[in-house]
Amino acid sequence: MRTIEVKTQAREELVDITARVKEELMSSGMKSGICYVYVPHTTAGVTINESADPSVKEDILMTLRKIVPDSLPYRHSEGNSPAHVKASLIGSSIKVIIENGQLSLGTWQGIFFCEFDGPRSRRVFIKASS
Ligand code: ZN
C-alpha cells in the first residue's frame, strides 16, 4: 500500500489528486488490475468527476451544502456533523481499472480528494491489485 499526503487549504475543498495517484501507480509497476483509492478519515472522502471545468467542483460543494445544512439540530458534540454526513454521502473509496499500466479514466474525469472539515493534513491510501 502507498500513502499520499494531502494538505487542504479550506474548510471545504475538492483537491484534484489524479496526477499523484498516477505517479503511485507508475512506481507500483502494475500493468493490469484495479487501483483502489481509500481515504481513512471520517470528515473527508474521495470521488471521480470532471476535472476540465473547475466550476464543477464548486457546484458539487454548493449542492452538498444545500443537502446537508449547517443549521440542523445535530447531536454530535464535536460540532462537525455536516462534515461527517457529507463524507458518508461522497464515500471513502473509489476504484479504477488499470490497463496497460494506465488508469482507465474518461477524458474529462479526475480523482478528487474531498475535504469537509479542513484545513488539515490528510492521507490517501492507494493499492494496485491484479
Ligand atoms: Zn466529529
Side-chain angles (χ1 to χ4, degrees):
M1 185 179 80
R2 290 152 191 278
T3 303
I4 62 177
E5 305 276 338
V6 179
K7 285 201 193 315
T8 58
Q9 310 294 327
R11 177 160 174 250
E12 296 186 332
E13 182 183 11
L14 267 60
V15 181
D16 190 334
I17 58 169
T18 314
R20 298 179 67 188
V21 175
K22 284 180 177 172
E23 269 174 39
E24 296 301 328
L25 176 64
M26 294 293 255
S27 51
S28 80
M30 185 71 65
K31 296 298 175 207
S32 177
I34 303 286
C35 182
Y36 297 91
V37 180
Y38 181 80
V39 169
H41 301 289
T42 61
T43 55
V46 64
T47 193
I48 296 174
N49 215 300
E50 170 159 346
S51 59
D53 178 2
S55 309
V56 173
K57 296 191 296 187
E58 297 309 315
D59 287 349
I60 290 170
L61 287 174
M62 178 185 70
T63 307
L64 285 171
R65 278 182 217 120
K66 187 84 177 173
I67 296 169
V68 186
D70 284 335
S71 57
L72 291 179
Y74 297 107
R75 302 186 58 168
H76 176 51
S77 61
E78 211 183 10
N80 59 354
S81 281
H84 288 293
V85 175
K86 288 169 190 169
S88 272
L89 288 176
I90 288 291
S92 306
S93 66
I94 53 115
K95 46 194 176 300
V96 183
I97 296 167
I98 305 163
E99 204 56 67
N100 301 317
Q102 306 288 322
L103 293 177
S104 301
L105 289 168
T107 306
W108 309 111
Q109 285 184 318
I111 302 168
F112 293 92
F113 178 87
C114 305
E115 176 64 83
F116 299 117
D117 196 21
R120 295 193 197 207
S121 282
R122 301 290 206 171
R123 290 179 303 158
V124 178
F125 298 154
I126 297 166
K127 178 95 178 174
S129 175
S130 54

